[in-house]
Amino acid sequence: MITLTPADAKKRFGPLFAEKFIVMVDEQAGMAEILETCRHRGTIEWDMMNRRRACGALSSAEVQGSSMTMLARLGRYEANFGAAGQEIGGQALEGVEVQGDEVVTSWAGIAGAGVGVAACLPQAPGVIRAEYPTEEDLHIGGARVCRVRIVTPKYEKLTIGIDDTDTKQEGATWVLALKCAEACKVPGAEYLNMRLVQLNPKAPKKTTNCVGSVLNFAVRPGSVEPLLAFVKEYIEEHAVSGDTGIAYYRGLCLPGSDYVKKIKTELISREEVEAEAKRIGVTFIDSAASKGRIGAFGAVLWGNRGVEAAGLYGEQPGGRV
């Protein structure tokens, strides 16, 4: 086994294009979410299509700009890997394994795709080290096959829903949520993204548009409580409403709930929401214990469901206006 740090990989292969590589795990669900960002969109798109074809440990993958989000099974799996073809991918995720405080992802690539996994990914910020089975795996490009194990810190995912921080006279929840994310300097907490969640616009006690906000973080296990304490303090200190709600879910696989639809289409009570939240493992941390919990819960439900979260229920993105 030959081991290279990111600095070693950069020295050996020259500077390449990976900008971020984070692996979040949910051991109870047996799943991992992998976020990979490249400076260039084309490589990410090609990688995604080939990894999907190869399957292996990969369950799903989607691209947004030059970033790819992958959902994978924990363990090692045989992949449909080789020169790219109708049923074969030229690049594959063969395994995701938790080893103490670290996560090991195992990759295979052929030709240019081998350069991607053996030389580019090992340089990504967030990587601890790359492990190559043999010296031959360090000879990249041409028609060669390369395999590598990329070791990263173990993260988990924290989804935080926020609503009802404003009034009809002042404030905007999405602005406060983003300011909170940008102000967060909690060690071991990596801000991922914010999403606006359109709730039921017919709700009578709303500001105007009835929109909640969600913040997604990758968090080291020991940083979860400090992050939650920071968000609670920041949001409640700067909110101008007495009804602010804050909820969170810790993990990747939120249990199914009828309230995914109800939160966008029906008028529901705080008591209903609190009961359903308890059932599926969503926790409230706000002080108000008021109507803002409805929107905060809805934001958590839709926080990782794609751009549809921003629309009315059933409304699809794309197509002609």
Side-chain angles (χ1 to χ4, degrees), residues 12-68:
R12 181 174 183 119
F13 303 116
L16 292 173
F17 316 108
E19 292 189 326
K20 181 178 288 189
F21 188 78
I22 295 174
V23 183
M24 295 162 276
V25 297
D26 185 334
E27 293 183 80
Q28 185 174 352
M31 301 298 292
E33 183 176 307
I34 304 169
L35 174 63
E36 177 185 340
T37 301
C38 179
R39 287 204 301 274
H40 304 283
R41 180 172 177 167
T43 57
I44 282 286
E45 292 175 341
W46 191 93
D47 290 349
M48 182 196 70
M49 298 305 291
N50 276 266
R51 292 177 194 176
R52 280 181 171 180
R53 211 178 304 127
C55 296
L58 190 70
S59 294
S60 65
E62 63 177 19
V63 165
Q64 292 181 328
S66 61
S67 291
M68 176 174 9

Side-chain angles (χ1 to χ4, degrees), residues 107-126:
W107 302 87
I110 189 170
V115 178
V117 295
C120 192
L121 276 185
Q123 299 183 26

Side-chain angles (χ1 to χ4, degrees), residues 276-289:
E276 181 67 359
K278 183 177 181 180
R279 185 187 74 82
I280 66 174
V282 173
T283 303
F284 294 102
I285 58 171
D286 56 79
S287 302

